[in-house]
Amino acid sequence: MKRIVVFFVFLALVFAVGAVMAQAAQIESLKGNVQVQSAGEQAWEKASVGMQVNMGDSIRTARRSNATIITDNTGMNKVTIDELTMVVLNSTDPGMINKFDLSEGKVYANVESIKAGLAFEVSTPSSVAGVRGTGFSVDSERDMDEIAVYKNEVYAQAYDQNKSLIKEITIPEGFKAMIERFQGPGELTELTDNDRNRWNEIREEMSGRGQDEQGRGQDE
């Protein structure tokens, strides 16, 4: 009887370890000064290409710095954390990192593979942008968020100070919406040439796997 109990305890531990490992993402490339703070820790450490980051970890970038994160085992879901940005890795499902809590700055997401029934989300203090396979960006400033859609469509939810939903809209490909802090979404406007050009640059950088540009453009 004791052997059976021990066996089931062993199985539980194996599954638990597997679940934790499944939550890890990986830094694919970076440029400049990028730092990682592990969940529950106070100290920040220098990020490196190939470094694993886990749910609850924070990532911040300095001026003229960025990092691209692979969030799944297929390598089809990537997020580029732009300069002067801070995010916390999060999840709505125990088996994957599929949510970025953005406190300030801008992230670009290219999402090609999402588990059925789930979405990939970027949240700010007063809005949530989510997709089920597309390319988009969220730019969070002190008083406003900008959500831009480069492929397919994105749902955007605006919340008040009590975390109550004000309104949800769908932003189609080629458009963006501004959401003032704790207000409803503004009118849709078309992406500018600068928006599209920057997205194309980000896509090209995402496709350059494993390129460590850490030595260029460092700036505290």
Side-chain angles (χ1 to χ4, degrees):
M1 182 67 180
K2 289 183 178 180
R3 290 182 178 178
I4 295 176
V5 172
V6 170
F7 175 73
F8 280 109
V9 170
F10 172 76
L11 284 181
L13 289 172
V14 169
F15 283 119
V17 171
V20 172
M21 292 180 64
Q23 292 172 353
Q26 186 178 51
I27 298 177
E28 183 187 49
S29 64
L30 59 81
K31 179 175 67 177
N33 184 3
V34 180
Q35 295 180 315
V36 175
Q37 183 185 61
S38 298
E41 299 293 335
Q42 296 295 320
W44 290 85
E45 61 178 309
K46 187 176 181 181
S48 60
V49 171
M51 181 179 187
Q52 285 198 335
V53 285
N54 299 280
M55 188 174 69
D57 290 355
S58 300
I59 302 174
R60 68 182 182 186
T61 58
R63 190 178 302 276
R64 295 193 295 276
S65 303
N66 62 52
T68 295
I69 312 297
I70 301 175
T71 66
D72 70 320
N73 293 331
T74 68
M76 298 177 68
N77 298 332
K78 298 183 181 182
V79 175
T80 292
I81 303 168
D82 210 4
E83 65 173 347
L84 299 175
T85 296
M86 180 169 172
V87 299
V88 178
L89 278 59
N90 212 327
S91 176
T92 61
D93 177 79
M96 63 186 299
I97 292 173
N98 65 337
K99 184 179 181 183
F100 277 55
D101 293 329
L102 174 64
S103 58
E104 60 180 339
K106 187 171 187 176
V107 297
Y108 292 84
N110 188 38
V111 182
E112 304 288 350
S113 176
I114 289 292
K115 186 187 297 185
L118 294 178
F120 186 96
E121 296 182 340
V122 176
S123 68
T124 76
S126 62
S127 69
V128 173
V131 297
R132 293 178 178 84
T134 192
F136 71 109
S137 67
V138 179
D139 188 358
S140 183
E141 299 181 359
R142 181 176 180 179
D143 299 317
M144 183 177 295
D145 300 326
E146 178 190 88
I147 302 171
V149 182
Y150 309 100
K151 296 192 304 179
N152 300 329
E153 62 183 29
V154 167
Y155 63 83
Q157 301 169 335
Y159 291 85
D160 63 19
Q161 291 172 304
N162 298 317
K163 301 298 183 182
S164 296
L165 179 65
I166 299 174
K167 186 177 181 180
E168 177 176 330
I169 63 171
T170 297
I171 307 175
E173 180 177 325
F175 287 83
K176 60 184 177 181
M178 308 294 289
I179 303 177
E180 293 188 21
R181 188 68 70 229
F182 307 122
Q183 302 295 320
E187 295 294 325
L188 297 180
T189 59
E190 289 192 49
L191 297 180
T192 66
D193 289 340
N194 286 339
D195 293 331
R196 297 178 188 277
N197 291 338
R198 180 56 179 154
W199 170 248
N200 290 332
E201 291 174 359
I202 291 294
R203 286 292 307 276
E204 290 179 3
E205 292 176 6
M206 286 182 176
S207 66
R209 299 193 175 197
Q211 295 178 355
D212 185 358
E213 298 177 307
Q214 187 171 353
R216 298 195 299 171
Q218 284 198 352
D219 187 353
E220 296 290 341

